[in-house]
Amino acid sequence: MRKSTNLGRPFAWLWAAYAVSAYGTGLGFGAFTVVAVDVLHAGPAQVSALSAAGLAIGALLAVPLGPWMEWRAKRPVMIAMDLVRFAALASVPLAHWLGVLSFAQLLVVAVIAGAAKIAFTAAAGAYLKTLVPADRLLVATSRFESTTWSATVVGPPLGGAAIGVLGPVVTVLADAVSYLLSALGLAAIRHREPPPRGTTATRAWRDLAEGWRLILAHPTLRRLFANTIAVNALIMAGEPIVSVLMLAHLGFPAWQYGLAFAVPCLGGLIGSRLARRIAARLGEHRVLRVFGTLRVVWPLGLAAVQPGPAGLVIVMGTQFGLIVCLSVYNSVLAAHRLNHVETGRHARVLTAWSISSSAAIAVVTVLWGLLAQAVGPRAALALAGVVLLATPVLLPGRLTKGRYLPA
């Protein structure tokens, strides 16, 4: 008999809050890049630095947040991080309209938003486990994944059109407001969160590195971690380079740039909707092996982007294939990680994971930005694509049963 997919009213509010912020992020897709290139006339190295600074310094600021959150209720932390992101992002259109917007301010806002995102993501993962039974987590993570991709289908074209009509910072304001609405949605949840257990403030600060210790001590989790970090870093390092190539070198207008990355996100809807069925048929291990490999064969195609309709087709086709594979892989990985990490350590593990991912993306983004400045965007994108082809060797040969416990 087929299980009901109703996950309850508290989850519905959480999902709604996530959806509104996801659609705001979709509207604001590439907004900082557009502002940096079109308003502040930044080059490839500056755009890459903008992407990297928010990730790197944001990750550093987020280091103590994992243990700090473990012994606190997660929903208030999520609300606070939404409000911080609202205030930071809202300062950008205000400064622009006052004529005082600078590249330094963009950097500061990116740092604040980056740290808040890491804290929010870690708290949300741990909070989700309190709302949804273990055997329904894949349903929940698939819904979040499909929402992310649907927002990315709808948001960028609308954001690009809004930029063309209303100016380059209007989508930043829309993104800011979405975080305010998300905070209101989270505040509406009427679910008593279980009190944190097994830790105290003093213990939490002593165990600052426990998230990394747990990840690195277990061979399966360690390999999943290493593979995910490497793949995400190389994929994301190409994003600002593609932006500069399309917007500055090839002359694509903002709405076409947004369209080129929005339409392929239909693949995310397809993949996330199918993830549960594919996992039931193939098993988690085969899904992670097969789709973990397939997701890295696509980015090399971005080096062949051309001006005009042919270039749009190349970007859309490459991104569509990548996103289908990513959405299946990410849904299964997220559920696997929540199911196999011991309750009470989720926030530390997820914070360690997010910090490492952000730091790796920042470092690789800076390196690839400098490489693009030296050898050109196409050569840099081609090299990233070639290196990605080697990353499947990091995937685990098998998945260990049972929970991942500290050594």
Side-chain angles (χ1 to χ4, degrees), residues 208-227 229 337 341 348-350 352-353 356-357 394 404-407:
L208 179 63
E210 185 173 349
W212 282 284
R213 288 203 302 269
L214 190 152
I215 291 170
L216 298 177
H218 196 284
T220 300
L221 192 62
R222 180 172 67 238
R223 291 179 73 91
L224 288 170
F225 172 75
N227 174 266
I229 296 300
R337 191 173 53 194
V341 172
R348 275 168 283 185
V349 168
L350 294 176
W353 199 293
S356 301
S357 181
L394 296 172
Y404 299 147
L405 300 175

Side-chain angles (χ1 to χ4, degrees), residues 227-247:
N227 174 266
T228 303
I229 296 300
V231 171
N232 288 349
L234 288 164
I235 289 175
M236 296 304 296
E239 182 180 323
I241 298 173
V242 173
S243 301
V244 173
L245 178 63
M246 293 183 69
L247 293 170

